[in-house]
Amino acid sequence: MANHKSALKRIRSNEAKRLRNRYQHKTTRTFIKRLKDATNKAEAEELLKKVVGMIDKLAKNNIIHKNKASNQKSKLTKLVASL
């Protein structure tokens, strides 16, 4: 158990950040699934804009690796283009 006041605060803030990161990551994955299930091209293009922004935000905050973000965006863009 932590003995210092700052260590206790760090534990609390780390937990809050962990939950926020988990929520953002899960939400992004849900939107990616929606995009993959989309059949209408216009709808998929609108959703792609939103999903790419979400993926970029995850990469910027180091929730996911930047190369993973690039791979996901590339694959999703190809998917939407093929509709």
Side-chain angles (χ1 to χ4, degrees), residues 35-49:
L35 179 58
K36 287 181 179 178
D37 292 340
T39 54
N40 184 3
K41 187 173 177 88
E43 177 189 331
E45 286 174 344
E46 286 299 313
L47 201 52
L48 179 66
K49 290 178 188 175

Side-chain angles (χ1 to χ4, degrees), residues 46-62:
E46 286 299 313
L47 201 52
L48 179 66
K49 290 178 188 175
K50 189 170 187 175
V51 169
V52 165
M54 294 170 89
I55 291 172
D56 284 337
K57 188 173 181 181
L58 291 179
K60 183 181 87 172
N61 294 328
N62 291 322

Side-chain angles (χ1 to χ4, degrees), residues 15-79:
E15 180 64 12
K17 289 174 188 174
R18 183 184 74 83
L19 292 174
R20 189 180 319 117
N21 290 343
R22 189 172 157 207
Y23 172 77
Q24 290 175 347
H25 196 186
K26 181 63 178 167
T27 304
T28 304
R29 286 196 306 253
T30 303
F31 272 86
I32 288 172
K33 284 178 191 170
R34 276 190 211 163
L35 179 58
K36 287 181 179 178
D37 292 340
T39 54
N40 184 3
K41 187 173 177 88
E43 177 189 331
E45 286 174 344
E46 286 299 313
L47 201 52
L48 179 66
K49 290 178 188 175
K50 189 170 187 175
V51 169
V52 165
M54 294 170 89
I55 291 172
D56 284 337
K57 188 173 181 181
L58 291 179
K60 183 181 87 172
N61 294 328
N62 291 322
I63 298 171
I64 62 173
H65 195 272
K66 63 180 181 143
N67 290 352
K68 178 177 180 168
S70 293
N71 285 332
Q72 284 183 334
K73 290 190 299 185
S74 173
K75 287 178 183 174
L76 292 172
T77 303
K78 282 182 186 176
L79 178 81

Side-chain angles (χ1 to χ4, degrees), residues 1-12:
M1 186 62 199
N3 292 320
H4 296 283
K5 196 173 182 181
S6 61
L8 293 170
K9 181 177 178 182
R10 175 59 56 202
I11 290 169
R12 288 194 309 270

